[in-house]
Amino acid sequence: DTGVSQNPRHKITKRGQNVTFRCDPISEHNRLYWYRQTLGQGPEFLTYFQNEAQLEKSRLLSDRFSAERPKGSFSTLEIQRTEQGDSAMYLCASSSGGGGAFFGQGTRLTVV
Amino acid sequence: AQRVTQPEKLLSVFKGAPVELKCNYSYSGSPELFWYVQYSRQRLQLLLRHISRESIKGFTADLNKGETSFHLKKPFAQEEDSAMYYCALTGGYQKVTFGTGTKLQVIP
């Protein structure tokens, strides 16, 4: 499968725990995006990388959220001290320019 | 700021009827507009983009800069078109902003 890959697909965690998600983009894509999607809503922009540089971070993203793309390839999204409101589908997408973004299957986070 | 508005949460049409999914946008520069589709239990996927002026699965969309709209149209709906449809805009730094989506339900 040469598409965008996200792991894990599902994560259940207790409130207060830290979680980390991984995204492997399409190999030749230099742009990588993280989105969050809750029921009945469209994807909400969280952050965006061009190569290893994080160019924009949404105000939705509190200090508990951090994302990295250390070598301009895969990316990780970490949520510290999870809260029940963090429960959502976390989507990763990649693109190489103006051709539109390709999405992964997402990681569904449930905070109990 | 860039914003995308999809006024309809749900659109129900009979099979064979025309479909129009509305999308309006707000962006001060020259945007790129896209339609994405999400079928049940599948990932979000690109349907079409305005710059290629293509028709995919019978769907077309024309960018109207005067009305800041990018409505998605299909002359004859099919049952397999039932899905969530998201309009999206790419603006500064190639950031992609999505609308809240419209669920298209094609009634047999």
Side-chain angles (χ1 to χ4, degrees):
Chain A
D1 185 0
T2 56
V4 178
S5 176
Q6 291 187 248
N7 289 287
R9 293 287 304 277
H10 304 274
K11 177 72 177 178
I12 300 174
T13 190
K14 290 184 177 179
R15 190 174 53 187
Q17 297 293 305
N18 300 342
V19 294
T20 299
F21 311 140
R22 178 178 169 125
C23 171
D24 287 273
I26 293 171
S27 58
E28 61 267 26
H29 285 180
N30 61 345
R31 296 187 175 100
L32 186 147
Y33 309 82
W34 284 100
Y35 289 84
R36 180 172 62 191
Q37 188 174 25
T38 53
L39 198 63
Q41 298 296 317
E44 294 177 295
F45 172 80
L46 293 179
T47 191
Y48 157 59
F49 291 86
Q50 181 159 315
N51 300 312
E52 66 274 13
Q54 189 173 18
L55 294 187
E56 189 171 344
K57 187 173 170 180
S58 168
R59 282 171 292 188
L60 293 173
L61 229 56
S62 73
D63 290 344
R64 297 185 296 106
F65 288 71
S66 62
E68 293 183 345
R69 195 182 183 197
K71 296 182 181 178
S73 56
F74 74 92
S75 175
T76 57
L77 177 69
E78 182 182 14
I79 309 174
Q80 296 181 324
R81 304 181 304 281
T82 52
E83 302 172 355
Q84 286 189 320
D86 297 331
S87 295
M89 178 74 85
Y90 290 84
L91 300 172
C92 176
S94 69
S95 75
S96 60
F102 292 81
F103 280 81
Q105 290 275 34
T107 295
R108 182 170 295 284
L109 172 67
T110 302
V111 181
V112 298
Chain B
Q2 51 193 70
R3 186 164 54 244
V4 177
T5 302
Q6 292 180 253
E8 302 143 328
K9 277 192 170 293
L10 172 66
L11 182 64
S12 296
V13 300
F14 286 101
K15 178 182 171 182
V19 174
E20 184 178 45
L21 299 169
K22 293 189 179 350
C23 171
N24 288 89
Y25 68 90
S26 173
Y27 181 63
S28 56
S30 292
E32 293 181 65
L33 276 298
F34 304 85
W35 277 97
Y36 286 81
V37 61
Q38 189 167 27
Y39 300 103
S40 179
R41 297 180 183 173
Q42 294 189 24
R43 70 180 68 193
L44 202 59
Q45 55 187 279
L46 179 65
L47 180 63
L48 54 78
R49 47 188 175 145
H50 89 270
I51 56 173
S52 54
R53 301 187 64 82
E54 58 205 340
S55 174
I56 303 293
K57 300 183 179 182
F59 285 97
T60 59
D62 290 319
L63 177 61
N64 185 324
K65 291 186 178 181
E67 295 182 358
T68 59
S69 68
F70 188 56
H71 304 326
L72 183 68
K73 299 178 184 179
K74 184 170 182 176
F76 308 105
Q78 299 174 333
E79 287 179 66
E80 54 265 34
D81 296 331
S82 294
M84 282 294 296
Y85 290 81
Y86 295 97
C87 183
L89 177 156
T90 296
Y93 292 112
Q94 295 295 311
K95 171 183 160 184
V96 184
T97 299
F98 287 85
T100 50
T102 298
K103 182 176 181 179
L104 176 63
Q105 185 179 60
V106 180
I107 304 165

